[in-house]
Amino acid sequence: MASAELNCSICLSLYTDPVSLRCGHNFCRSCIVSVLDAQEAAGGYSCPDCRAEYPERPALEKNRKLRNIVERFSSTQPDMEETRIFCTYCTKSPVPAVKSCLQCEASFCGKHLSRHIKSPEHNLVDPNVTLEERKCSTHKEVLKYYCPIDAAFIYASCWADGDHKGHDLEPLNMALEKKKKELKPVFETMKSKRKEVEERVQNLKDHGTEQGQKSARLGNKVAFLFTDLRKKLDDVERRIQGEICRQRNQVLRSVSDLVEQVDLQVDKLTKDMNHLAGLCNITDPLTFLQDVNAGDISDGSCEAIGDVGHPPCVDEGLVSQILHRGLGNFADNLIDTKIKRQFSVLEKTDILLDIDTAHNNIIISQDLRSASYSATSQNRPDGPKRFKSCQVLSSRSFSSGRHYWEVDVSQAKNWIIGVAEESLERKVNGNDSYIGYNEKSWGLMFIKTFGFRHNKIYTRLASASPVRVVGIYLDYEAGRLSFYQVCDPIRHLHTFTASFTEPLYAALYLSEGSIIRIME
């Protein structure tokens, strides 16, 4: 990273105690505090870089990452005024040196270096701050030898009468080549390891890309699946709504016909009532009786309104029948729809417990799905299949295919659930026979803490709420055993990968006061 990128835009120097605003720009703490203080007097706050405005004085977040980068950068930058070496022979103006001679104790620019004595005794090195560190502290002569026994740089006299007397010395050039030769296999090993690491990084990137593509494909599959489901549900709704509309129209037509019939009766009654009312106004007896005898007067016993028939009603029972049949067909087609969209169907495998494997402190329910701990021994006869530890296996084994079952552990204090191979040791009363504590079994467990275990290796899992029902999915050929938290929220807990070589059984371990049930 260039040093300009590490400079505060306010003071134009390397960041000191860098902090960030919400907009993402960084400043020295003291610089931005001064700016905010000045803005406070003006009645508003904004970022000095992007002018993003803040209704209140913005909080300053420490940027530890940037601080560490600045510190690393500063530690690698030499003080140029102190470390820059200039040519000894350029007296008019300083010219940076490209080499220093240990013999001459002088430094040379490119021009003067071409005139330097080309002799093996005149050892050229990169420019140094001082040549004193290249000299023997005792004899004040240039160091020419290396003592591999003491890992020290010495002058010839140090070997003759010093602490290195009798040691085999190596000229510095020879020691250089020898050490380079020794470091070459180390370098090759590191190179090989770096290649492995790079391949691992690439594999991780490829895996990330693959999983990203897989999630996109899966998302599309889910979208198409629900499009199909919505279409089928819409068809069911259309049929039901169509039947309701048909019945409504039929009822409305019938009611309209009945209203028309009743209106005719009302008109006839009104006419007869008006005629009678007119007769009642006649005062001459003879005329009245003649009109009564001559007229067609109803006696009021004409068809009553109720005689026109009862209006029909919407048949809710028929609608319910259509709904029931439609949803039934929808449910029947769910599996076909899932298969069409290439989703595996997780139908529950029928799992029953094998009482011949159950420890004598385990009571097996009559339907062979529930195991509960009892302090009283059941005194069952011993056999080769029975556990000495408080465990039980299923009566059914799996040596191929995909299988799914659910286990209710809500009434268990301490528990282990999982699968075990047929050859799991059963006559040991202790950890070695427990599910997950050996290479023959794999288990999810809650014993003081929640986690999963295989071959004695335990990994703890975090859970925001107690796990009550666990779904177990076994794909034997793929070598995958997955555990899921079934109750909301539904989540994946862990997946074991292995090469299964023996038949596998569903396995349970439970402690005192516990009940575990295989769900139907």
Side-chain angles (χ1 to χ4, degrees), residues 133-359:
E133 61 186 29
R134 291 274 184 165
K135 293 182 178 182
C136 172
S137 59
T138 304
H139 302 93
K140 303 303 179 184
E141 295 290 343
V142 175
L143 300 171
K144 294 184 177 181
Y145 297 95
Y146 175 71
C147 176
I149 296 177
D150 298 326
F153 303 98
I154 63 174
Y155 179 63
S157 299
C158 301
W159 175 76
D161 55 10
D163 295 335
H164 307 280
K165 187 174 182 179
H167 294 178
D168 292 331
L169 303 184
E170 299 172 352
L172 288 179
N173 289 337
M174 182 185 296
L176 170 68
E177 295 303 321
K178 183 177 179 181
K179 186 60 68 174
K180 283 184 177 180
K181 188 175 181 180
E182 292 175 356
L183 292 177
K184 186 174 182 180
V186 177
F187 174 79
E188 293 299 327
T189 300
M190 291 181 175
K191 184 178 178 181
S192 176
K193 288 184 177 179
R194 187 183 70 175
K195 185 178 180 181
E196 292 178 4
V197 173
E198 289 173 345
E199 289 177 352
R200 174 62 176 161
V201 170
Q202 187 59 48
N203 290 337
L204 289 173
K205 290 181 179 179
D206 293 343
H207 178 75
T209 301
E210 178 186 349
Q211 294 305 305
Q213 295 170 348
K214 181 179 179 180
S215 65
R217 292 193 300 269
L218 186 60
N220 289 333
K221 284 170 57 178
V222 169
F224 288 133
L225 172 66
F226 277 89
T227 297
D228 290 345
L229 297 179
R230 278 190 289 269
K231 182 179 178 182
K232 287 180 169 57
L233 280 176
D234 288 344
D235 290 341
V236 174
E237 183 185 8
R238 274 195 297 272
R239 290 200 300 272
I240 296 171
Q241 295 288 10
E243 175 60 23
I244 293 173
C245 183
R246 185 192 68 78
Q247 291 193 34
R248 180 192 63 194
N249 292 336
Q250 183 181 15
V251 168
L252 291 179
R253 282 196 302 270
S254 297
V255 168
S256 178
D257 291 342
L258 291 174
V259 167
E260 185 177 350
Q261 294 178 36
V262 173
D263 283 342
L264 291 175
Q265 292 182 2
V266 170
D267 289 343
K268 186 175 184 306
L269 288 172
T270 302
K271 181 179 178 181
D272 290 345
M273 289 171 63
N274 291 335
H275 179 60
L276 287 176
L279 289 175
C280 291
N281 290 328
I282 298 175
T283 59
D284 180 34
L286 180 62
T287 304
F288 175 79
L289 293 174
Q290 287 176 342
D291 287 348
V292 168
N293 293 332
D296 183 13
I297 300 174
S298 172
D299 60 1
S301 60
C302 62
E303 293 183 9
I305 293 177
D307 295 338
V308 300
H310 295 287
C313 299
V314 173
D315 189 349
E316 188 174 348
L318 178 59
V319 173
S320 296
Q321 285 290 338
I322 297 173
L323 174 63
H324 178 75
R325 184 175 293 276
L327 292 180
N329 292 335
F330 173 79
D332 292 340
N333 292 328
L334 271 179
I335 293 178
D336 292 338
T337 305
K338 288 169 67 178
I339 294 174
K340 173 186 174 183
R341 291 301 173 187
Q342 300 177 337
F343 279 96
S344 58
V345 179
L346 290 180
E347 291 187 340
K348 285 185 183 179
T349 304
D350 192 25
I351 300 288
L352 300 178
L353 299 176
D354 184 359
I355 197 169
D356 291 337
T357 67
H359 181 264

